[in-house]
Structures are given as structure tokens and as C-alpha cells.
Amino acid sequence: MERRLAALKLKLQVSGAQESAWTAWTTAMKPAQRQRPDRDAFVKMTTPERVDAMKAMHTARAAEMDRRGEATKTFYATLSADQKKVFDGESLRFGKRGNRGNGGPGHHHRG
């Protein structure tokens, strides 16, 4: 991911005035440590407790998505029209290939 972000920064030609916005955005985009349920504890839960635990995990993931989305919108607002075109094309590619295998977009856990 670091290489891809470095390549994006070059393509965008991030200016000195945009550097702090870039840093804030890349920091926000770093994967959060996801809390995986303790399998032993999960097995000992009743069905309603498991439902509540799964709902809490879903809420945490949604909050993370919201946080990243807002960080992206804030950074995007600092870009010129030409940079926005580049970012639009590159961010579409990030979503298609993004972080497969480590919990990123496009990753599906099969248990």
C-alpha cells in the first residue's frame, strides 16, 4: 500500500500547500486494527449475544468507513480539477484491487 500511495502522490503532483492534507488523508486510510471476536468466547455466547456482537462489529466497520470517507472528501476538496481527474481514476483502481487478503476491499473471509 505504501508503494501505491507514493505512486499516487507522484501522479497527483501534490504541492507543498497540499502536503498536510495528503498526510492527514494517508494516515486516515491506514488499516485500522479490527477486533476479531474471540472464537472461544463467541462459541460460549447465546445466539442473541452473538447477534449483538456481530451488530457491534458491523457498527464499528461502518464508523471506520464513514471516517475514511470524510477524510477522502476533505483531501479531495484540496485538489485542483486536473488532480481530481487523476484521483478519480486512481481511486477506482484502488477499489478494484484494494488490499485483497488482509481484510481490505474485496476481501471475503471464508470460515
Short mmCIF file of all heavy atoms in Angstrom, two decimals, residues 44-71:
data_model
loop_
_atom_site.label_atom_id
_atom_site.label_comp_id
_atom_site.label_asym_id
_atom_site.label_seq_id
_atom_site.Cartn_x
_atom_site.Cartn_y
_atom_site.Cartn_z
N LYS A 44 -19.24 -19.68 23.27
CA LYS A 44 -19.95 -19.74 24.56
C LYS A 44 -21.14 -18.79 24.64
O LYS A 44 -21.95 -18.90 25.54
CB LYS A 44 -18.97 -19.41 25.69
CG LYS A 44 -17.90 -20.47 25.86
CD LYS A 44 -16.89 -20.07 26.91
CE LYS A 44 -15.77 -21.09 26.97
NZ LYS A 44 -14.70 -20.67 27.87
N MET A 45 -21.24 -17.87 23.68
CA MET A 45 -22.36 -16.92 23.69
C MET A 45 -23.66 -17.60 23.27
O MET A 45 -23.66 -18.56 22.52
CB MET A 45 -22.09 -15.78 22.69
CG MET A 45 -21.00 -14.85 23.06
SD MET A 45 -20.84 -13.61 21.73
CE MET A 45 -19.40 -12.75 22.29
N THR A 46 -24.74 -17.02 23.76
CA THR A 46 -26.05 -17.44 23.28
C THR A 46 -26.25 -16.81 21.90
O THR A 46 -25.52 -15.90 21.50
CB THR A 46 -27.17 -16.95 24.22
OG1 THR A 46 -27.18 -15.52 24.19
CG2 THR A 46 -26.97 -17.45 25.65
N THR A 47 -27.22 -17.29 21.18
CA THR A 47 -27.49 -16.72 19.85
C THR A 47 -27.77 -15.23 19.93
O THR A 47 -27.19 -14.46 19.15
CB THR A 47 -28.64 -17.48 19.16
OG1 THR A 47 -28.24 -18.85 19.00
CG2 THR A 47 -28.98 -16.88 17.81
N PRO A 48 -28.61 -14.75 20.84
CA PRO A 48 -28.83 -13.30 20.92
C PRO A 48 -27.54 -12.52 21.23
O PRO A 48 -27.32 -11.44 20.69
CB PRO A 48 -29.85 -13.14 22.05
CG PRO A 48 -30.59 -14.43 22.07
CD PRO A 48 -29.55 -15.47 21.72
N GLU A 49 -26.67 -13.09 22.06
CA GLU A 49 -25.39 -12.43 22.35
C GLU A 49 -24.52 -12.37 21.10
O GLU A 49 -23.86 -11.35 20.85
CB GLU A 49 -24.66 -13.17 23.48
CG GLU A 49 -25.30 -13.00 24.84
CD GLU A 49 -24.72 -13.92 25.90
OE1 GLU A 49 -24.15 -14.99 25.56
OE2 GLU A 49 -24.85 -13.57 27.09
N ARG A 50 -24.51 -13.45 20.31
CA ARG A 50 -23.74 -13.44 19.06
C ARG A 50 -24.29 -12.41 18.09
O ARG A 50 -23.54 -11.70 17.43
CB ARG A 50 -23.72 -14.83 18.43
CG ARG A 50 -22.76 -15.78 19.11
CD ARG A 50 -22.52 -17.03 18.28
NE ARG A 50 -23.70 -17.87 18.14
CZ ARG A 50 -24.04 -18.86 18.95
NH1 ARG A 50 -23.26 -19.16 19.97
NH2 ARG A 50 -25.12 -19.57 18.73
N VAL A 51 -25.61 -12.33 18.01
CA VAL A 51 -26.23 -11.33 17.14
C VAL A 51 -25.80 -9.93 17.56
O VAL A 51 -25.41 -9.10 16.73
CB VAL A 51 -27.78 -11.47 17.16
CG1 VAL A 51 -28.44 -10.27 16.49
CG2 VAL A 51 -28.21 -12.76 16.49
N ASP A 52 -25.82 -9.66 18.86
CA ASP A 52 -25.40 -8.35 19.35
C ASP A 52 -23.92 -8.08 19.07
O ASP A 52 -23.54 -6.97 18.71
CB ASP A 52 -25.68 -8.22 20.85
CG ASP A 52 -27.17 -8.11 21.17
OD1 ASP A 52 -27.96 -7.80 20.24
OD2 ASP A 52 -27.54 -8.33 22.34
N ALA A 53 -23.09 -9.10 19.24
CA ALA A 53 -21.66 -8.95 18.98
C ALA A 53 -21.41 -8.67 17.50
O ALA A 53 -20.60 -7.81 17.15
CB ALA A 53 -20.90 -10.21 19.42
N MET A 54 -22.13 -9.39 16.64
CA MET A 54 -21.97 -9.17 15.20
C MET A 54 -22.46 -7.77 14.81
O MET A 54 -21.86 -7.10 13.98
CB MET A 54 -22.70 -10.26 14.43
CG MET A 54 -22.00 -11.61 14.57
SD MET A 54 -22.92 -13.06 14.00
CE MET A 54 -23.68 -12.56 12.51
N LYS A 55 -23.53 -7.34 15.44
CA LYS A 55 -24.06 -6.00 15.17
C LYS A 55 -23.05 -4.93 15.61
O LYS A 55 -22.83 -3.95 14.90
CB LYS A 55 -25.39 -5.81 15.89
CG LYS A 55 -26.07 -4.52 15.57
CD LYS A 55 -27.44 -4.44 16.25
CE LYS A 55 -28.09 -3.11 15.97
NZ LYS A 55 -29.38 -2.98 16.67
N ALA A 56 -22.42 -5.14 16.74
CA ALA A 56 -21.41 -4.19 17.23
C ALA A 56 -20.22 -4.12 16.28
O ALA A 56 -19.69 -3.04 16.00
CB ALA A 56 -20.96 -4.57 18.64
N MET A 57 -19.80 -5.28 15.74
CA MET A 57 -18.69 -5.29 14.77
C MET A 57 -19.09 -4.57 13.49
O MET A 57 -18.31 -3.81 12.92
CB MET A 57 -18.26 -6.73 14.47
CG MET A 57 -17.49 -7.37 15.61
SD MET A 57 -16.86 -9.02 15.19
CE MET A 57 -18.36 -9.98 15.24
N HIS A 58 -20.33 -4.79 13.06
CA HIS A 58 -20.83 -4.11 11.86
C HIS A 58 -20.84 -2.60 12.08
O HIS A 58 -20.43 -1.83 11.21
CB HIS A 58 -22.23 -4.62 11.52
CG HIS A 58 -22.87 -3.87 10.40
ND1 HIS A 58 -22.51 -4.07 9.09
CD2 HIS A 58 -23.81 -2.91 10.39
CE1 HIS A 58 -23.21 -3.26 8.32
NE2 HIS A 58 -24.01 -2.55 9.09
N THR A 59 -21.28 -2.16 13.24
CA THR A 59 -21.33 -0.73 13.56
C THR A 59 -19.93 -0.13 13.55
O THR A 59 -19.72 0.96 13.03
CB THR A 59 -22.01 -0.51 14.92
OG1 THR A 59 -23.35 -1.02 14.83
CG2 THR A 59 -22.05 0.94 15.31
N ALA A 60 -18.96 -0.86 14.11
CA ALA A 60 -17.58 -0.38 14.12
C ALA A 60 -17.02 -0.27 12.71
O ALA A 60 -16.34 0.71 12.39
CB ALA A 60 -16.71 -1.31 14.97
N ARG A 61 -17.32 -1.24 11.85
CA ARG A 61 -16.86 -1.19 10.46
C ARG A 61 -17.50 -0.01 9.72
O ARG A 61 -16.84 0.67 8.94
CB ARG A 61 -17.16 -2.49 9.74
CG ARG A 61 -16.24 -3.61 10.14
CD ARG A 61 -16.47 -4.85 9.27
NE ARG A 61 -15.86 -5.99 9.91
CZ ARG A 61 -16.52 -7.04 10.37
NH1 ARG A 61 -17.83 -7.13 10.24
NH2 ARG A 61 -15.89 -8.03 10.95
N ALA A 62 -18.77 0.22 9.96
CA ALA A 62 -19.47 1.34 9.31
C ALA A 62 -18.87 2.67 9.76
O ALA A 62 -18.68 3.58 8.95
CB ALA A 62 -20.96 1.29 9.62
N ALA A 63 -18.54 2.79 11.04
CA ALA A 63 -17.92 4.01 11.56
C ALA A 63 -16.56 4.23 10.91
O ALA A 63 -16.19 5.36 10.56
CB ALA A 63 -17.79 3.95 13.08
N GLU A 64 -15.80 3.16 10.73
CA GLU A 64 -14.49 3.24 10.07
C GLU A 64 -14.67 3.69 8.62
O GLU A 64 -13.91 4.53 8.12
CB GLU A 64 -13.79 1.89 10.14
CG GLU A 64 -12.44 1.85 9.46
CD GLU A 64 -11.39 2.72 10.12
OE1 GLU A 64 -11.60 3.19 11.25
OE2 GLU A 64 -10.34 2.95 9.48
N MET A 65 -15.64 3.16 7.93
CA MET A 65 -15.91 3.56 6.55
C MET A 65 -16.29 5.04 6.50
O MET A 65 -15.85 5.78 5.62
CB MET A 65 -17.01 2.70 5.93
CG MET A 65 -17.17 2.94 4.45
SD MET A 65 -18.51 2.02 3.66
CE MET A 65 -18.37 0.40 4.33
N ASP A 66 -17.12 5.48 7.43
CA ASP A 66 -17.51 6.89 7.49
C ASP A 66 -16.30 7.78 7.71
O ASP A 66 -16.16 8.83 7.07
CB ASP A 66 -18.54 7.12 8.60
CG ASP A 66 -19.91 6.54 8.30
OD1 ASP A 66 -20.17 6.19 7.13
OD2 ASP A 66 -20.71 6.42 9.25
N ARG A 67 -15.43 7.38 8.63
CA ARG A 67 -14.23 8.17 8.94
C ARG A 67 -13.34 8.30 7.72
O ARG A 67 -12.88 9.38 7.38
CB ARG A 67 -13.47 7.52 10.11
CG ARG A 67 -12.27 8.32 10.59
CD ARG A 67 -11.50 7.57 11.67
NE ARG A 67 -10.87 6.35 11.17
CZ ARG A 67 -9.74 6.32 10.47
NH1 ARG A 67 -9.12 7.43 10.14
NH2 ARG A 67 -9.24 5.17 10.07
N ARG A 68 -13.12 7.19 7.03
CA ARG A 68 -12.29 7.22 5.83
C ARG A 68 -12.94 8.03 4.72
O ARG A 68 -12.27 8.75 3.99
CB ARG A 68 -12.03 5.79 5.34
CG ARG A 68 -11.03 5.06 6.18
CD ARG A 68 -10.85 3.67 5.64
NE ARG A 68 -9.74 3.02 6.28
CZ ARG A 68 -9.09 1.99 5.77
NH1 ARG A 68 -9.46 1.50 4.60
NH2 ARG A 68 -8.09 1.45 6.42
N GLY A 69 -14.25 7.90 4.59
CA GLY A 69 -14.96 8.66 3.57
C GLY A 69 -14.84 10.16 3.79
O GLY A 69 -14.60 10.92 2.84
N GLU A 70 -15.00 10.58 5.02
CA GLU A 70 -14.88 12.01 5.32
C GLU A 70 -13.46 12.50 5.10
O GLU A 70 -13.25 13.61 4.59
CB GLU A 70 -15.34 12.30 6.75
CG GLU A 70 -16.84 12.18 6.93
CD GLU A 70 -17.65 13.03 5.95
OE1 GLU A 70 -17.33 14.23 5.77
OE2 GLU A 70 -18.60 12.50 5.34
N ALA A 71 -12.47 11.69 5.46
CA ALA A 71 -11.07 12.07 5.23
C ALA A 71 -10.80 12.21 3.73
O ALA A 71 -10.10 13.12 3.29
CB ALA A 71 -10.12 11.03 5.85
#
